[in-house]
Amino acid sequence: MRAVNCCLGAWVLVALVTAAAAPAQTPVISSRLPAWLAPGAPLVVTGFAGPRAPVLLVSDGAVLARSTAGRLGKFRLFARAPAPGAHRLTVRTAGKVFRAGTLTTRDLTIAAIGDVTPGEQVAPTVAALGGAYPWGEAGPVLSAADIATANLEGVVSAGGTPVPDKLYHLRGPRAVLQGAAGAGGLDVLTLANNHTGDFGASALLDTLAAAHAAGLETVGAGENLAAAHRAVVREAGGLRIAFLGYSDVNPLGFPATSTSPGTARAEGIAEDVRRARSRADVVVCWFHWGIELHAEPNRQQRTLAEVALAAGAQIVLGAHPHVFGRVDRPAPHTLVAWTLGNFVFPAGSGASVRSGILVVRVNARGVAGYRVLAARAGVRPTV
């Protein structure tokens, strides 16, 4: 009797182990849906079903992806996120249905503004009232975007000496950048302009360090030529957005070299864009270009924009004229904002005061649409 009980116990144990090792016949989802995705962004759903079973990913009755489970029942479904909306997803196999949850899809938003300076009246205003003060009503709008970007026109450093043969030298305290990242909601700054080198190479490096310490990413300037041309890639909604910055306004000694700090000239654009596009879904190019107080683009601006777009960039943003210009859609899924004007920048009167926040809607194909929120430039711009 003891021998029988022993054998029976062994048989029960083997049966339990076999049952535990058997793959599930009802779909089991092992992955979680993201909070949201931009249309066209990659969507991956993984789990277990019956061995070699056909598996479907279905959204509101439409099949998004199909696959076949492996020998042990493991499956991986790859799809592209559907159009904006709330989508009920299910996994179906062998006549059985498992709810995978509700996927929210919407366009990713990029908010772009023009010139932000730490210098002139901005510096004493921030010293007196704090780094959050300049952002006023604009800060919540910029913070609501998935990515916000601007042109930093000046230096954040107490060091260096003013470079010769320049009429204006712009610099201010770190609180300007802390406010820009906090109350201002900014994420990416271009430093490719004609004021980043106002106090020499050491002050430029201080500015980069101060921006990064505040949580801001920078393009268009660096410790050498390669760094100045390096793209920054931000991720949101399942998409990767690359930023590059170039200056076509280059005071003597400002551009970076292979061994010295500086800004990125408007050269090598096509190669940079193609390299960025190889690891990003959308490429944004900042340019410092044009003629001050002239909103209409000249031939050089048009040429540079065409080079960037032809290489695969979808968004081109401009600064330097200190006036707000028009926004063009040269092709489907692309956009050029020729000049975004002043923003946190002391403005005199007339056209230099008119400004705006450009909000671009983006999906995996590029630009889906845009709007401009009118603003008035100044130490504290209003929307």
Side-chain angles (χ1 to χ4, degrees):
M1 190 67 179
R2 289 180 181 174
V4 171
N5 287 340
C6 179
C7 292
L8 178 61
W11 180 85
V12 171
L13 178 60
V14 170
L16 289 174
V17 171
T18 303
Q25 298 300 309
T26 300
V28 174
I29 307 300
S30 60
S31 58
R32 289 187 177 183
L33 293 179
W36 67 280
L37 287 176
L43 168 64
V44 177
V45 176
T46 60
F48 293 87
R52 311 295 187 188
V55 187
L56 301 178
L57 178 64
V58 179
S59 169
D60 305 315
V63 176
L64 294 183
R66 60 183 75 232
S67 184
T68 301
R71 181 174 57 86
L72 297 179
K74 187 174 182 179
F75 66 81
R76 182 180 186 274
L77 292 159
F78 176 85
R80 292 288 178 178
H87 304 275
R88 292 175 297 178
L89 302 184
T90 58
V91 172
R92 302 184 183 184
T93 181
K96 298 175 182 178
V97 178
F98 185 85
R99 291 184 179 179
T102 299
L103 174 67
T104 299
T105 59
R106 64 169 176 83
D107 292 329
L108 180 152
T109 56
I110 299 174
I113 57 175
D115 301 331
V116 174
T117 186
E120 296 197 320
Q121 294 100 310
V122 175
T125 300
V126 166
L129 301 174
Y133 176 81
W135 298 99
E137 300 171 35
V141 177
L142 295 166
S143 298
D146 297 304
I147 305 172
T149 185
N151 171 52
L152 180 67
E153 190 101 4
V155 172
V156 176
S157 173
T161 57
V163 298
D165 302 321
K166 284 195 93 242
L167 183 59
Y168 299 104
H169 296 81
L170 305 177
R171 74 161 149 193
R174 285 189 170 218
V176 172
L177 292 177
Q178 293 162 353
L186 295 181
D187 301 296
V188 180
L189 301 176
T190 176
L191 273 63
N193 59 61
N194 60 319
H195 285 287
T196 298
D198 277 358
F199 291 84
S202 63
L204 185 156
L205 293 176
D206 287 347
T207 304
L208 290 168
H212 300 160
L216 296 160
E217 297 192 82
T218 60
V219 296
E223 63 271 17
N224 53 43
L225 185 63
H229 282 259
R230 187 176 300 136
V232 158
V233 178
R234 300 277 300 191
E235 294 190 17
L239 297 183
R240 295 161 298 175
I241 312 298
F243 289 82
L244 291 161
Y246 304 95
S247 182
D248 197 42
V249 185
N250 297 294
L252 183 65
F254 274 41
T257 71
S258 60
T259 58
S260 64
T263 55
R265 289 180 180 270
E267 299 172 349
I269 299 164
E271 181 181 352
D272 290 349
V273 170
R274 284 192 287 267
R275 185 183 300 112
R277 190 67 191 275
S278 70
R279 61 192 186 101
D281 302 287
V282 174
V283 177
V284 180
C285 284
W286 270 103
F287 285 97
H288 211 73
W289 58 10
I291 302 171
E292 291 191 10
L293 303 181
H294 286 69
E296 285 298 308
N298 58 30
R299 181 178 298 179
Q300 174 71 352
Q301 288 170 269
R302 292 182 181 279
T303 298
L304 292 173
E306 289 169 2
V307 169
L309 294 171
Q314 294 99 327
I315 300 174
V316 173
L317 305 174
H320 181 63
H322 296 289
V323 291
F324 197 90
R326 72 173 192 263
V327 178
D328 287 344
R329 299 292 303 275
H333 314 300
T334 67
L335 174 149
V336 179
W338 295 105
T339 168
L340 291 172
N342 294 321
F343 204 79
V344 177
F345 202 105
S349 60
S352 66
V353 174
R354 178 177 171 267
S355 187
I357 300 174
L358 172 68
V359 181
V360 185
R361 292 188 292 106
V362 172
N363 58 36
R365 301 180 69 185
V367 177
Y370 77 95
R371 60 181 175 142
V372 174
L373 303 176
R376 289 178 60 82
V379 171
R380 184 171 184 169
T382 57
V383 177

